[in-house]
Amino acid sequence: MRKSWWKVPLYCIIASWLCFQIETRFLAKFTLKELPDGTITVNHTRWMIMTGMVFIIVLVVGGRTFFHNMTYKELFCSSSILVALNIILGLISYKRQEGFWIYWIECSEWSSIITQILSRINRNQWINMVIAWMSPYLFVLFGKKNNLVIDNRKNK
């Protein structure tokens, strides 16, 4: 189990960086709209649809491709490391109120749809952030019960 502790954090950080680049460089163009007075704004519905699709892709690809042979326990432990990082770095970012937070946002972009949806339902930023920080636990759903394969033929 110790050799798999890094899998979820590494996958999520790499996926987040890629998502951030794709969203800001390519997908943002499809969400911009020009208002009658000539100002340019973002169509938030389109943005949420696009980030939602990216979220589902990252979740399914990670769960089915990279984590399909891990147990629930392994995925929970590996996800817990990223959750702890999210909490620690999120609180540091809040406390410092400096440019550091932008780097961690890039590293947690894959689940940004969660805060977008929650902010429409609930105005409490802290509750929204805590729930979003827990998003790596969604990968546990793709785990399996155990790694033990018992061959009954050997026992006979």
Side-chain angles (χ1 to χ4, degrees), residues 138-153:
L138 291 171
F139 288 111
V140 175
L141 300 172
F142 293 95
K144 57 184 181 178
K145 287 191 180 195
N146 60 31
N147 267 346
L148 299 176
V149 176
I150 299 172
D151 189 359
N152 288 332
R153 290 177 287 173

Side-chain angles (χ1 to χ4, degrees), residues 45-119:
T45 303
R46 285 184 194 168
W47 182 260
M48 286 183 69
I49 290 169
M50 288 190 194
T51 56
M53 289 179 0
V54 168
F55 171 74
I56 290 169
I57 290 168
V58 169
L59 190 64
V60 171
V61 167
R64 298 272 184 199
T65 306
F66 296 105
F67 309 132
H68 71 281
N69 60 349
M70 293 175 70
T71 65
Y72 295 127
K73 185 178 179 181
E74 289 172 328
L75 282 168
F76 181 80
C77 292
S78 185
S79 297
S80 294
I81 291 170
L82 185 56
V83 168
L85 276 173
N86 284 341
I87 292 168
I88 292 166
L89 295 175
L91 292 174
I92 289 171
S93 298
Y94 172 76
K95 187 71 175 163
R96 297 209 45 206
Q97 296 287 322
E98 293 177 10
F100 172 76
W101 63 272
I102 191 70
Y103 298 113
W104 190 243
I105 286 174
E106 269 189 60
C107 293
S108 58
E109 181 62 29
W110 76 277
S111 61
S112 68
I113 187 65
I114 294 172
T115 53
Q116 292 174 47
I117 291 170
L118 290 174
S119 67

Side-chain angles (χ1 to χ4, degrees), residues 4-33:
S4 63
W5 69 269
W6 55 270
K7 286 186 178 182
V8 172
L10 184 63
Y11 173 77
C12 288
I13 289 171
I14 291 170
S16 291
W17 185 82
L18 289 172
C19 289
F20 185 81
Q21 300 305 315
I22 290 168
E23 289 170 2
T24 56
R25 296 176 193 266
F26 304 109
L27 297 181
K29 295 175 186 174
F30 298 109
T31 63
L32 297 178
K33 67 178 182 178

